[in-house]
Amino acid sequence: MEADYSPGLNCLVIGEEKLAAGLLRELSAPELGRNIVSVWLFDSNQAELEFPQTCALRSIDPAACELAELEAEISEAEVDELYLCLCEESCALESAWLERLQRLKISSYIIHEAAVDLKRRLAFYRASEEILEPKLLARPRFYGLHSETARFDGLRILITGAAGSIASKLAEDLIDSENAELHLLDHDENELYLLYRRLERSARLRSKLHCHLISIQNQSALETLFLNHHFDLVIHAAAHKHVPMMENHADEVYRNNCRATRDLFQLALEQGTSRFVFISTDKACRPKSLMGMSKAIAEYTLQEMLRNFRLAIKSTGEDYPLTQLYILRLVNVLNSKGSVLRIWEDGRRIAALN
């Protein structure tokens, strides 16, 4: 099930012909909401590959392009984002282009040859760091769950990644909600079972417990789950979070942290779920890692989906329940799985910056 997005951001793509063509195919996907308004190719004859007829196409000398040319194009075409595609042969030009992009007041990305497929777009690194953050990501709203569980009495609550460090503690805090249904979803059979056994033995248990052995990437199973249960609150904590490991698994971190999050939120929107809490990370702020970038993309995607959904509902004039989105960025949570505390306990040295 694909989300219905409205195209909105105008893009300028610059770079090697074949890389640019591959990127354009990915950017043209409707769910990304991108309009290709201009393409600048490095020393190209513009004859080998097909490009959208709606975009302006020109050939440039990558070493001679001036900042003023970029600024003029951005102003004239009302460009919101710039993508620079560099293959191995053109990487020597990177520093000069980086200097130009840092002076532009739009979102800018440098994409290397291995990252042309947007399923690997997590390998982007930002060229305009200080300017990009407020432009690309709407400022998230920070919320914490209220400690008084009476607010959750009688609710159907779904927690994804329930067996994880954060979600399992939330489940422990919510089990004394009167007449509530607590649905625990995870793909780890053993950890989910242990959590269920621990919760059902608690003297504080006042809620009905349900376990769902489902991966958040299993869209059909999630659709069935949402059809069978009308959730009032979804707490989405499932994610790949180990930074070093994710650097070598860009496809998987995209599927799990970005696409599955998008699909889950779409189900919540369509069902009219009252509240959706997305557990994110401080690493989504000016991300330097694939994990951080995946969370940043997910944050941005959810906010855009909600905005477009509200606009669509408003245009129909229908009285439709609207989901409230909460984004919670956590830092290094003490004693969680993968916490820095474990590194200290192992006696490993950590470099201190600033």
Side-chain angles (χ1 to χ4, degrees):
M1 181 181 299
E2 294 294 330
D4 183 15
Y5 292 81
S6 298
L9 297 178
N10 292 335
C11 301
L12 166 61
V13 175
I14 302 175
E16 301 290 337
E17 185 171 359
K18 291 184 179 180
L19 296 184
L23 177 63
L24 287 174
R25 285 193 295 272
E26 297 291 340
L27 285 176
S28 297
E31 65 268 21
L32 293 181
R34 298 299 189 270
N35 301 317
I36 312 302
V37 295
S38 188
V39 178
W40 291 7
L41 302 176
F42 291 168
D43 299 322
S44 171
N45 58 21
Q46 304 177 17
E48 294 184 12
L49 300 171
E50 293 185 2
F51 290 90
Q53 295 181 350
T54 55
C55 69
L57 190 63
R58 61 177 287 193
S59 178
I60 66 169
D61 180 352
C65 181
E66 297 292 337
L67 178 64
E69 294 181 74
L70 287 171
E71 292 175 332
E73 180 69 16
I74 289 168
S75 176
E76 182 178 343
E78 298 182 345
V79 174
D80 299 300
E81 292 182 343
L82 185 152
Y83 295 86
L84 175 65
C85 305
L86 297 178
C87 68
E88 186 175 353
E89 291 76 14
S90 59
C91 281
L93 303 169
E94 183 174 335
S95 59
W97 274 95
L98 183 60
E99 183 177 349
R100 297 183 189 113
L101 298 184
Q102 286 174 331
R103 299 175 66 179
L104 298 175
K105 296 181 180 180
I106 64 169
S107 304
S108 302
Y109 300 96
I110 296 178
I111 305 166
H112 291 281
E113 190 166 11
V116 168
D117 182 349
L118 276 200
K119 290 181 180 179
R120 293 190 175 274
R121 65 184 179 279
L122 307 178
F124 292 0
Y125 67 87
R126 69 181 38 137
S128 184
E129 182 174 296
E130 294 183 359
I131 296 171
L132 179 59
E133 167 72 12
K135 179 75 176 178
L136 178 63
L137 301 177
R139 185 174 297 278
R141 302 170 69 185
F142 294 86
Y143 292 87
L145 292 177
H146 201 283
S147 59
E148 297 177 2
T149 55
R151 295 184 60 191
F152 304 98
D153 287 352
L155 300 185
R156 285 194 181 97
I157 304 170
L158 172 65
I159 304 179
T160 71
S165 306
I166 306 301
S168 61
K169 295 301 294 183
L170 289 174
E172 290 174 7
D173 288 340
L174 292 171
I175 59 173
D176 58 359
S177 300
E178 294 285 351
N179 299 316
E181 289 186 17
L182 196 56
H183 294 258
L184 310 173
L185 185 149
D186 206 290
H187 71 286
D188 189 321
E189 175 199 9
N190 186 61
E191 291 298 320
L192 184 60
Y193 174 75
L194 293 177
L195 172 64
Y196 179 81
R197 294 286 291 167
R198 186 166 73 250
L199 294 181
E200 72 169 357
R201 293 174 179 176
S202 172
R204 296 173 50 244
L205 181 62
R206 301 289 184 275
S207 303
K208 295 180 181 178
L209 295 178
H210 303 269
C211 284
H212 305 282
L213 188 62
I214 299 174
S215 165
I216 60 166
Q217 296 185 38
N218 189 338
Q219 180 68 1
S220 61
L222 289 176
E223 289 177 3
T224 301
L225 181 65
F226 272 75
L227 283 174
N228 293 334
H229 305 278
H230 193 289
F231 296 113
D232 302 291
L233 169 64
V234 174
I235 302 174
H236 179 40
H240 290 326
K241 70 171 189 175
H242 291 286
V243 175
M245 181 177 291
M246 290 306 100
E247 291 298 309
N248 297 319
H249 297 86
D251 282 342
E252 178 61 23
V253 76
Y254 165 74
R255 285 192 294 266
N256 199 75
N257 291 5
C258 299
R259 189 173 66 189
T261 297
R262 177 201 67 189
D263 293 342
L264 182 69
F265 189 53
Q266 182 66 24
L267 290 172
L269 288 174
E270 293 173 352
Q271 190 185 76
T273 300
S274 298
R275 287 174 286 177
F276 189 100
V277 180
F278 175 51
I279 305 297
S280 188
T281 171
D282 61 321
K283 297 173 181 64
C285 179
R286 300 184 180 182
K288 300 295 185 183
S289 64
L290 298 191
M291 194 281 282
M293 181 61 80
S294 72
K295 286 291 192 175
I297 290 174
E299 287 183 7
Y300 172 71
T301 300
L302 298 190
Q303 292 174 90
E304 284 296 294
M305 288 174 67
L306 183 59
R307 182 182 68 84
N308 292 330
F309 191 80
R310 284 175 172 169
L311 289 175
I313 294 299
K314 186 177 180 180
S315 67
T316 64
E318 297 180 7
D319 184 16
Y320 192 85
L322 293 177
T323 301
Q324 295 295 316
L325 172 64
Y326 305 96
I327 295 176
L328 177 62
R329 282 182 175 176
L330 301 179
V331 294
N332 202 303
V333 179
L334 189 65
N335 208 31
S336 63
K337 295 176 182 176
S339 167
V340 70
L341 183 63
R342 307 291 174 88
I343 299 178
W344 292 340
E345 289 175 342
D346 291 343
R348 283 178 279 173
R349 299 180 64 182
I350 302 176
L353 303 177
N354 297 327

